[in-house]
Amino acid sequence: MRINGKNILIFPEYHLTDFPPQAPLTKKEAYELLIAYEKHVFDVLIAGYVERGNDNNFSSCIVIDDGKTHNIRKVRPYKDEVKYISPSTDKKNTIDLSIGKSLFIICHEFSFLLKGEYQDIIAQSDIDNLI
């Protein structure tokens, strides 16, 4: 995909790991797996995975853009995910990227977008991309 002249590679939720998570990754391990794709001339790399951290597992998304790494965690686990995935209190899901300000909505959170819960964020944040 191309956005604003940049080549974007997006992998779905749990691409770098599977679900249920047999082997969750640290942010560093996810970065090392995803960076292998950079040689294929992608400017922005995005992939979902199960993140291991502080004795919890989180449904996460790693983003590599212009040499910077960002991590977004899903706030609300869904159905069977609650057996394996912890909710995140990190509400930072809007990131300034080289392609513009981007709002990341991970899986189940999309239903909350449709219900209007993210409308204030979108209206106040001048969002360029919804990913």
Side-chain angles (χ1 to χ4, degrees):
M1 165 189 318
R2 287 182 62 80
I3 299 175
N4 295 336
K6 302 273 187 168
N7 291 322
I8 316 292
L9 180 63
I10 300 177
F11 290 114
E13 188 175 26
Y14 305 132
H15 174 78
L16 297 179
T17 54
D18 58 0
F19 185 83
Q22 302 303 315
L25 301 172
T26 64
K27 181 180 170 182
K28 182 179 183 217
E29 291 167 331
Y31 172 84
E32 290 169 354
L33 283 172
L34 188 56
I35 200 69
Y37 292 98
E38 194 171 45
K39 66 182 178 188
H40 298 287
V41 196
F42 292 104
D43 301 300
V44 181
L45 304 161
I46 303 167
Y49 71 107
V50 177
E51 178 185 4
R52 180 178 64 243
N54 299 331
D55 296 324
N56 291 310
N57 292 331
F58 300 97
S59 180
S60 297
C61 175
I62 188 164
V63 180
I64 301 172
D65 176 48
D66 279 348
K68 295 178 186 170
T69 303
H70 307 275
N71 204 61
I72 299 108
R73 288 180 176 167
K74 185 193 297 185
V75 177
R76 299 175 177 96
Y78 182 63
K79 290 190 177 181
D80 284 343
E81 286 180 340
V82 296
K83 297 175 187 174
Y84 310 99
I85 302 294
S86 299
S88 173
T89 57
D90 185 7
K91 299 282 186 177
K92 184 185 170 206
N93 50 3
T94 303
I95 302 173
D96 287 316
L97 298 174
S98 64
I99 58 173
K101 187 174 268 189
S102 301
L103 173 64
F104 287 79
I105 303 294
I106 303 174
C107 186
H108 181 49
E109 295 173 354
F110 186 72
S111 65
F112 291 90
L113 172 72
L114 295 176
K115 291 176 187 175
E117 285 196 22
Y118 286 93
Q119 298 308 319
D120 290 341
I121 294 172
I122 292 171
Q124 297 171 9
S125 301
D126 217 14
I127 300 296
D128 297 310
N129 304 297
L130 179 62
I131 299 175

